[in-house]
Amino acid sequence: MTLEILLQGLASGLLMGFVYALIAAGLSLIFGLMEIVNFAHGEFLMLGMYTAFWLWALFALDPSLVAKLKEILFAQ
């Protein structure tokens, strides 16, 4: 195992942990305010992730730079 693979695994683990934390915070916020479980939360997360992937794959746009574009497209 090289240092590069170790650092890449560490970065991937941290990023996945951040995604899980965002999911948990969103569900907690919705449940705390409305006292109902919103199962559509996962669908919006999936739409955002697929949008980021396809913008990167088709147009080589960095997902962190086009976050505002995703917010505009999927705003309610």
Side-chain angles (χ1 to χ4, degrees):
M1 178 180 295
T2 65
L3 181 62
E4 180 182 352
I5 293 173
L6 182 66
L7 290 175
Q8 186 176 11
L10 181 65
S12 294
L14 282 172
L15 290 173
M16 187 57 72
F18 291 149
V19 169
Y20 288 149
L22 284 173
I23 293 169
L27 287 173
S28 170
L29 182 66
I30 293 295
F31 184 72
L33 292 176
M34 298 179 66
E35 296 182 0
I36 59 170
V37 179
N38 183 9
F39 291 109
H41 189 79
E43 294 175 15
F44 286 118
L45 181 71
M46 182 190 68
L47 282 173
M49 287 184 174
Y50 272 117
T51 302
F53 171 75
W54 284 112
L55 286 174
W56 171 76
L58 296 175
F59 305 114
L61 296 175
D62 187 14
S64 62
L65 296 177
V66 295
K68 277 297 192 194
L69 178 62
K70 290 187 296 184
E71 288 178 16
I72 293 169
L73 287 176
F74 295 115
Q76 289 184 358

